[in-house]
């Protein structure tokens, strides 16, 4: 009996969870101190990406600087936008703005100081990237970073734009 | 019976999952499963693992439907992997909550995490990979009556492994925090280039007093233990264009406890941060002073659990393993320190910038003890007294940690990126409660090269070299060399080989910590398997650390988000 319940449970979990989730109601701050709610993230009706990162996370910095290299070009071509959500806590949070400015990244940088959005979106470890479509639905996610992943991300964004 | 109940709960949650389309809500979550098999290895000090196989697992399931959300986390440590406290042994649902949120009001019942300001008086958070979790269980209300004003109220008890906290005599934590963002409050300031936020918090812990005796000058005295311990903090953030300044000052009432040696002295903490940043250049400075600020919800507790507050370490958090070999952790009983960062990017098509630009980073940190003078007629830190006096501005004699590091990031060609780093570290083992060990002075070099064969395939090589004349414990003696090769096939899999060699150890050739790992990623699911030796060391996240014993064997991790 127990085993049967267990099997049914597992099937239910893994059979039904792949719905289209939307961005949760979580109050955050932008890197320059303005209040923003995660459910307000938008790109004027175009798709956008959310990248979770931290100043101490090496693969995250590799990912963001790889995206930054071509960001302006990609923005011109496709109108995409990146929200870079930092999960740095009060130990390293004050380094976020200096790092972003000195690296000259053009992303929308958001602070998630006590990992509230990270928890709400089920993120295990950074880097973790989401693609959100025009309707505000999360349509694709990816964990980790390997060189070349940024190309997959942009392809995905273009693919979603076309839908 | 309990297991059946648990299964039924899981079944019901599964039904909810299935039914999400009907009820309109969404289900999200994530899980991680770590499996470790380690065997005895006397060459590195790995001890025998009786169970042969160790497991840590957790799964979060969150349900969101409009303004309502609920969630739970299932955890299983059967038995906990090496380095985790054995009190974690077991399985269950230690975390569950329900929350309702409208624009101006948010109410959470059950478990929650929260932080006031920088966390100097209150922070409930988790670092799952450190085995650190001080989730609150109780009630939380957040009100936003006007744009720019946020008021938070919390009450509850903190998680303590699997203990039934409502049956325990651990302290009850109550807190209030208010924050005003002037620019969001005043319409005409909304788009001003000058921004100001102020905030204040108050936290109080109630814990029943138990009889406690101290011996002063040969006679026993019964201590008068305060049952309510309060702490308050005030903070502001100010920015004007490219300039930023923030400060938080906290003070704590009398709180004789096991960490401070049962002294009555009041505690305080000050954290200052300032930075200046323009396109391509940033300078950041931080200063901190802590005096007797360990704040737990149980006065006899030491270690990482039941922390009410969080005192960030102001040293650089490293990701290269030899750089992180001698990490710093905040000294709760007193420390003062500074940190400076300078980051600069040489532009493309300049002499030093080359074709792609060059990034340089400099970081310096130095942390000392604070000045502590014994009270007249008593030993320093005598239990049952005020403990000591301290001159706020006087730097203590003991150097706890010092580091200077430089980093250069350079893309040399379209296919090759190079990252060079140097660090000098002076590490005082007092920081880890090992005053018997020598101070470590180390020079560390890292060269990290990334070669992209094409859009998908890349090879990363990492060379790390640590030079020191000192030993730390039995298993870290003198110099180290590490080499890593990592092959990545983007979006699919990776393969890595590494060897950490403690060649300065007299056991020389025997102390190779080789490791082979293989992993695969498919969207949000990642599986990695590694085989090899892991040195005995310290893992730190956010300035909180855990000692991890040596191991030799297999480690597998599966993570997934949905």
């Amino acid at each position: 009996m127990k085993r049967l319940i267990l099997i049914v449970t597992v099937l239910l979990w893994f059979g039904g969870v792949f719905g289209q989730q939307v961005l949760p109601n979580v109050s955050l701050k932008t890197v320059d101190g303005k209040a923003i709610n995660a459910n307000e993230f938008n790109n004027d009706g175009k798709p956008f990406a959310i990248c979770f990162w931290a100043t101490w996370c090496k693969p995250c910095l590799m990912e963001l600087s790889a995206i930054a290299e071509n960001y302006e070009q990609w923005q011109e071509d496709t109108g995409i936008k990146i929200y870079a959500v930092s999960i740095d806590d009060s130990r390293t949070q004050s380094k976020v703005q200096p790092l972003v400015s000195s690296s000259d990244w053009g992303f929308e940088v958001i602070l998630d100081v006590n990992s509230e959005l990270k928890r709400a979106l089920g993120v295990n470890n950074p880097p973790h990237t989401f693609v959100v479509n025009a309707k505000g639905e999360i349509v694709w996610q990816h964990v980790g970073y390997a060189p070349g992943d940024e190309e997959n991300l942009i392809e995905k964004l273009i693919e979603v734009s076309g839908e | 019976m309990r297991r059946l109940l648990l299964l039924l709960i899981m079944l019901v949650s599964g039904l909810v999952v299935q039914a999400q389309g009907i009820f309109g809500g969404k289900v999200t979550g994530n899980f991680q499963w770590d499996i470790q098999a380690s065997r005895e290895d006397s060459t590195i000090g790995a001890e025998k693992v009786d169970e042969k196989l160790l497991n840590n697992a957790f799964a979060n399931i969150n349900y969101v439907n409009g303004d309502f959300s609920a969630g739970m986390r299932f955890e299983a440590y059967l038995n906990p992997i090496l380095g985790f406290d054995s009190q974690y042994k077991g399985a269950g649902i230690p975390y569950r909550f329900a929350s309702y949120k409208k624009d101006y009001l948010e109410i959470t019942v059950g478990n929650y995490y929260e932080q006031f300001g920088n966390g100097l008086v209150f922070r409930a958070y988790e670092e799952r990979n450190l085995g650190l979790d001080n989730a609150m269980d109780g009630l939380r209300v957040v009100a936003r009556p006007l744009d720019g004003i946020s008021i938070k109220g919390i009450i509850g008890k903190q998680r303590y492994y699997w203990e039934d906290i409502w049956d325990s005599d651990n302290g009850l934590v109550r807190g209030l925090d208010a924050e005003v963002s002037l620019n969001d409050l005043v319409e005409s300031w909304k788009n001003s280039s000058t921004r100001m936020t102020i905030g204040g918090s108050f936290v109080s812990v109630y814990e029943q007093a138990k009889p406690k005796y101290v011996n002063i000058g040969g006679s026993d005295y019964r201590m008068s233990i305060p049952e309510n311990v309060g702490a308050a903090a005030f903070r502001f953030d100010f920015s004007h264009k490219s300039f930023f300044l923030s400060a938080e000052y906290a003070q704590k009432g009398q709180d004789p406890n096991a960490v401070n040696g049962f002294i009555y002295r009041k505690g305080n903490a000050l954290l200052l941060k300032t930075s200046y940043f323009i396109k391509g250049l940033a300078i950041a400075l931080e200063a901190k002073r802590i005096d007797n600020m360990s704040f737990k919800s149980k006065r006899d507790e030491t270690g990482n659990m039941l922390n009410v507050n969080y005192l960030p370490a102001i040293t650089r958090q490293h990701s290269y393993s030899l750089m992180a070999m001698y990490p710093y952790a905040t000294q709760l009983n007193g420390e003062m320190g500074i940190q400076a960062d300078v980051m600069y990017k040489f532009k493309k098509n300049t002499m030093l910038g080359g074709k792609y630009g060059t990034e340089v980073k400099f970081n310096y940190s130095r942390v000392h003890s604070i000045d502590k003078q014994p009270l007249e007629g008593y030993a320093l830190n005598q239990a049952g007294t005020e403990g000591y006096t301290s001159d706020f501005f006087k730097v203590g004699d003991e150097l706890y940690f010092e580091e200077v590091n430089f980093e250069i990031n350079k893309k040399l060609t379209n296919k090759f990126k190079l990252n060079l780093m140097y660090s000098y570290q002076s590490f005082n083992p007092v920081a880890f409660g090992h005053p018997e060990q020598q101070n470590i002075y180390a020079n560390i070099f890292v060269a990290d090269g990334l070669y992209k064969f094409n859009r998908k395939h890349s090879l990363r090589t990492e060379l790390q070299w640590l030079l020191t004349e000192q030993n730390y414990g039995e298993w870290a003696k003198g110099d180290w060399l590490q080499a890593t090769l990592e092959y990545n096939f983007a979006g699919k899999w990776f393969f890595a080989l590494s060897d950490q060699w403690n060649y300065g150890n007299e056991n020389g050739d025997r102390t190779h910590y080789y490791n082979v790992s293989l992993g695969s990623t498919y969207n949000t699911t990642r599986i990695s398997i590694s085989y090899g030796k892991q040195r005995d060391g310290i893992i730190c996240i956010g300035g909180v650390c855990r000692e991890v014993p040596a191991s030799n064997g297999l480690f597998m991790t599966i993570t997934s988000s949905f």
Side-chain angles (χ1 to χ4, degrees):
Chain A
M1 181 59 195
K2 273 187 191 173
R3 184 165 294 173
L4 184 70
I5 295 176
L6 187 69
I7 291 167
V8 172
T9 303
V10 169
L11 282 176
L12 281 172
W13 276 15
F14 292 94
V17 291
F18 301 102
Q20 306 257 296
Q21 40 163 319
V22 292
L23 292 171
N25 178 349
V26 175
S27 306
L28 301 161
K29 274 184 185 169
T30 63
V31 72
D32 45 7
K34 292 177 186 149
I36 186 167
N37 194 301
N39 60 22
E40 294 165 6
F41 289 1
N42 75 88
N43 186 20
D44 297 327
K46 285 190 284 262
F48 57 93
I50 301 172
C51 300
F52 279 83
W53 69 288
T55 57
W56 42 262
C57 161
K58 188 81 193 153
C60 304
L61 301 184
M62 287 167 71
E63 177 180 42
L64 291 177
S65 58
I67 297 173
E69 274 176 32
N70 300 307
Y71 191 49
E72 278 176 25
Q73 191 62 44
W74 285 341
Q75 273 193 313
E76 262 174 46
D77 297 349
T78 64
I80 57 148
K81 183 169 171 182
I82 306 269
Y83 282 92
V85 179
S86 141
I87 58 158
D88 285 89
D89 71 10
S90 55
R91 176 178 184 188
T92 45
Q93 185 215 320
S94 61
K95 293 186 187 188
V96 172
Q97 174 78 72
L99 182 73
V100 169
S101 289
S102 68
S103 310
D104 193 13
W105 289 343
F107 315 129
E108 295 286 327
V109 180
I110 307 293
L111 303 176
D112 186 18
V113 178
N114 207 26
S115 295
E116 228 181 306
L117 184 61
K118 173 178 177 254
R119 259 190 301 277
L121 287 175
V123 172
N124 275 315
N125 298 300
H128 189 133
T129 307
F130 295 84
V131 169
V132 183
N133 71 11
K135 285 181 265 175
E137 295 165 340
I138 294 169
V139 288
W140 186 78
Q141 331 182 17
H142 183 78
V143 291
Y145 172 75
D149 277 345
E150 69 279 6
E151 309 270 356
N152 293 342
L153 172 67
I154 185 71
E155 269 178 15
K156 201 73 210 174
L157 277 164
I158 292 168
E159 186 190 315
V160 174
S161 305
E163 277 169 8
Chain B
M1 187 58 211
R2 268 184 66 181
R3 277 178 58 187
L4 186 66
L5 192 68
L6 186 71
L7 273 173
L8 282 171
I9 292 169
M10 289 166 72
L11 175 70
V12 171
S13 63
L15 283 168
V16 172
V17 168
Q18 260 309 328
Q20 58 171 320
I22 301 165
F23 297 127
K26 302 290 178 211
V27 172
T28 64
N30 58 318
F31 90 100
Q32 178 168 334
W33 187 7
D34 297 328
I35 303 160
Q36 184 178 39
S38 178
R39 61 169 186 268
E40 193 174 359
D41 185 345
S42 60
T43 60
I44 58 168
E47 287 176 15
K48 188 168 168 246
V49 176
D50 292 334
E51 302 95 321
K52 306 262 191 231
L53 206 65
L54 302 168
N55 290 268
N56 278 14
F58 69 82
N60 281 298
I61 296 167
N62 297 319
Y63 173 76
V64 183
N65 193 344
D67 300 325
F68 175 80
S69 63
M72 64 172 191
R73 182 171 60 238
F74 170 78
E75 290 178 24
Y77 305 87
L78 302 167
N79 285 336
I81 59 171
L82 295 173
F84 271 66
D85 197 298
S86 61
Q87 293 180 77
Y88 266 119
K89 197 191 293 191
I93 298 175
Y95 183 89
R96 71 282 177 274
F97 72 93
S99 177
Y100 180 77
K101 196 167 189 173
K102 267 282 181 200
D103 290 339
Y104 55 91
L105 193 67
E106 178 186 352
I107 298 168
T108 307
V109 293
N111 298 103
Y112 57 88
Y113 296 101
E114 182 55 82
Q115 176 175 328
F116 294 169
N118 288 294
L120 298 184
V121 294
F122 182 73
R123 185 183 185 201
Y125 73 115
E126 54 167 344
E127 283 296 355
R128 209 121 289 289
N129 295 324
L130 281 183
L132 190 159
D133 184 5
N134 60 1
M136 292 281 286
D137 190 7
L139 187 72
R140 176 181 70 154
V141 177
V142 180
R144 294 186 178 83
L146 292 168
D147 271 359
I149 295 186
S150 136
I151 298 163
K152 298 173 181 174
I154 54 126
I155 186 162
K157 280 188 168 193
Q158 294 176 297
R159 177 177 184 189
Y160 191 73
Y161 302 105
W162 293 104
E163 196 178 88
D164 179 358
I165 51 171
W166 295 106
D167 202 30
S168 77
D169 46 14
N170 294 356
L172 184 65
V173 183
R174 292 87 39 109
L176 196 65
D177 181 80
E179 188 172 283
V180 181
S181 165
L182 296 175
N183 299 76
D184 290 322
L185 184 67
V186 182
E187 188 63 40
S188 59
W189 294 353
K190 258 191 183 130
N191 294 310
S192 165
S193 58
T194 306
R195 302 193 67 84
M196 180 94 182
T197 303
I198 51 171
S201 25
F202 181 75
V203 177
S204 157
V205 172
Y206 170 76
E207 185 193 353
Q208 222 169 17
K210 278 177 251 167
K212 168 88 191 163
Y213 296 89
V214 283
N215 188 294
I216 304 176
S219 332
D220 280 338
Y221 295 91
R222 184 176 165 152
M223 285 182 76
S224 153
I225 300 279
E227 292 196 317
N228 288 288
V229 176
F234 176 77
R235 63 181 183 269
F236 74 84
D237 281 358
F238 169 84
S239 67
H240 177 70
K241 291 176 182 161
S242 297
F243 173 77
F244 171 82
L245 175 70
S246 103
E248 182 163 7
Y249 178 74
Q251 207 160 25
K252 186 178 65 120
Q254 288 188 341
D255 178 23
N257 61 53
V259 176
N260 71 14
F262 287 93
I263 57 169
Y264 284 104
R265 185 181 166 79
K266 289 176 181 171
N268 64 68
L270 176 68
L271 188 61
L272 293 170
K273 300 173 184 179
T274 182
S275 55
Y276 175 77
F277 41 85
I278 50 173
K279 210 168 161 179
L281 168 72
I283 300 165
L285 295 169
E286 263 181 280
K288 182 178 74 161
R289 187 182 186 279
I290 286 172
D291 183 352
N292 184 24
M293 269 307 274
S294 172
F295 190 21
K296 287 178 183 284
S297 61
K298 190 177 184 180
R299 66 180 71 85
D300 289 319
E301 182 71 15
T302 55
N304 279 344
M305 295 298 270
L306 297 177
N307 283 323
V308 175
N309 64 347
Y310 171 74
L311 300 164
I314 52 164
T315 56
R316 180 166 174 173
Q317 187 160 327
H318 287 293
S319 45
Y320 291 109
S321 51
L322 292 189
M323 293 257 172
M325 193 155 175
Y326 297 110
Y328 187 66
T330 303
Q331 299 301 291
L332 308 175
N333 286 336
E335 64 168 31
M336 56 201 296
I338 49 157
Q339 178 172 223
D341 282 278
V342 180
M343 304 170 200
Y344 187 76
K345 187 172 182 178
F346 292 98
K347 289 197 182 85
K348 283 180 197 174
N349 304 319
T350 57
M351 195 175 79
L352 289 168
K355 195 175 166 191
Y356 301 97
T358 305
E359 283 180 354
V360 288
K361 290 175 188 167
F362 164 80
N363 166 273
Y364 177 77
S365 59
R366 188 179 175 107
V367 189
H368 273 261
S369 60
I370 55 169
D371 166 58
K372 287 185 182 182
Q373 299 299 329
L375 301 170
E376 217 178 308
Y378 296 106
L380 186 69
N381 220 60
Q382 167 66 52
T385 70
E386 290 273 321
Y388 54 90
T389 59
S390 178
D391 180 342
F392 191 89
F393 294 101
K394 197 170 163 193
V395 179
D397 295 333
E398 191 146 26
L399 175 66
Y400 287 143
F401 189 82
E402 183 178 27
E403 176 176 13
V404 50
N405 65 65
F406 294 97
E407 186 178 350
I408 300 174
N409 286 307
K410 175 99 190 110
K411 185 171 174 179
L412 289 165
T413 71
N414 199 21
K415 298 193 160 194
F416 187 61
K417 274 184 191 171
L418 187 64
N419 185 12
L420 297 174
M421 204 167 161
Y422 163 75
S423 168
Y424 163 78
Q425 294 174 7
S426 157
F427 171 85
N428 187 337
V430 158
F432 283 92
H434 295 295
E436 75 286 357
Q437 301 279 357
Q438 307 166 273
N439 278 12
I440 308 272
Y441 305 97
N443 287 290
I444 309 152
F445 301 86
V446 171
D448 178 347
L450 173 70
Y451 188 82
K452 265 182 99 167
F453 296 98
N454 55 41
R455 233 194 85 172
K456 299 264 180 200
H457 294 262
S458 62
L459 178 72
R460 204 170 68 83
T461 57
E462 201 181 284
L463 267 178
Q464 303 185 37
W465 192 23
L466 183 147
L467 291 164
T468 179
E469 301 197 337
Q470 288 82 33
N471 301 330
Y472 186 74
E474 208 177 329
W475 307 106
K477 297 189 172 176
D479 304 343
W480 290 79
L481 197 59
Q482 178 178 340
T484 304
L485 279 177
E486 183 188 303
Y487 193 90
N488 265 298
F489 180 28
K492 297 272 193 279
W493 53 265
F494 75 92
F495 173 72
L497 281 173
S498 82
D499 184 24
Q500 228 174 52
W501 181 27
N502 188 196
Y503 71 91
N505 193 324
E506 66 267 27
N507 294 334
D509 296 341
R510 289 191 292 147
T511 46
H512 280 278
Y513 294 81
Y514 58 82
N515 203 294
V516 184
S517 51
L518 180 67
S520 176
T521 305
Y522 180 74
N523 291 344
T524 60
T525 301
R526 189 178 175 92
I527 299 175
S528 71
I529 302 170
S530 66
Y531 180 81
K533 299 183 183 188
Q534 173 68 44
R535 70 179 159 81
D536 138 296
I538 304 153
I539 295 184
C540 297
I541 301 170
V544 177
C545 305
R546 164 169 79 91
E547 298 202 36
V548 181
S551 61
N552 179 358
L554 198 72
F555 200 100
M556 187 162 108
T557 296
I558 304 169
T559 60
S560 189
S561 300
F562 47 81

